[in-house]
Amino acid sequence: MNYWLVKCEYDECTFDELKTRPQQTGRWRGVRNYQARNFIRDVMQKGDLAFFYQSNCAEPGSSGVVKVVKAGYPDPSQFDPEHKYYDEKSTKDEPRWFTFDVKQHKAFKSFVHLKDLKNNNDLKDMKVVQRGQRLSIQPVTPEEFEIVCEMGGI
DNA sequence: GCCAACGTTGGC
DNA sequence: GCCAACGTTGGC
């Protein structure tokens, strides 16, 4: 059982929007970074929990926790020439990119702002609060996970 | 919209 | 294998 922070641009999908998807499930899209890919392919498991973090917007932060309902499978978009995330160098025998599916697990009672994470000294080692940190799939320790859940009121 | 920080690419 | 140039991320 692992804990994560998964980043999504606000424009792409919000935590609430997950509920409107078929089976209330969203496929994570377009991870094209090797470090993040390795986490998805090699470490992430079905049943893991993750903070859904929204970036690139007026209020960066997290609305709640999602659960990994399908883990580490090849991202179909890499094989589709029409797709934005097509990768001509990837093959079905040796896929280069992986993805996973998530469902809402628990919504926070109150939104946890990036600012709040930064102001909490117990979270100073979290990747997300560190300067210039761009990794979109970040491991989180059980301690950090619990602290952030408390901050969100769950 | 700015710009710092980072990852990737490609010439050598 | 180095490293400059470039593109992207993402907070502000």
Side-chain angles (χ1 to χ4, degrees), chain A residues 4-5 7 35 39 53 114 117-118 123-141 144:
Chain A
W4 307 94
L5 180 147
K7 259 189 223 175
Q35 235 186 311
F39 282 132
Y53 178 87
L114 175 59
L117 298 176
K118 284 188 167 169
L123 300 177
K124 65 179 180 346
D125 293 328
M126 276 186 89
K127 290 197 191 323
V128 70
V129 302
Q130 279 151 33
R131 184 182 172 81
Q133 182 52 254
R134 291 164 30 174
L135 189 59
S136 61
I137 307 293
Q138 306 179 356
V140 167
T141 68
E144 290 163 348

Side-chain angles (χ1 to χ4, degrees), chain A residues 94-113:
Chain A
E94 285 186 61
R96 182 180 286 193
W97 305 112
F98 288 73
T99 189
F100 58 100
D101 294 350
V102 298
K103 238 181 184 166
Q104 275 198 18
H105 178 65
K106 272 187 186 171
F108 287 151
K109 291 203 172 66
S110 53
F111 187 81
V112 177
H113 296 264

Side-chain angles (χ1 to χ4, degrees), chain A residues 3-9 28 31 40 44 49-55 61-62 64-66 68 100 102 135-140:
Chain A
Y3 299 101
W4 307 94
L5 180 147
V6 292
K7 259 189 223 175
C8 186
E9 295 203 6
W28 211 258
V31 172
I40 297 169
M44 187 180 275
L49 296 177
F51 299 122
F52 189 98
Y53 178 87
Q54 60 184 44
S55 64
S62 180
V65 177
V66 293
V68 175
F100 58 100
V102 298
L135 189 59
S136 61
I137 307 293
Q138 306 179 356
V140 167

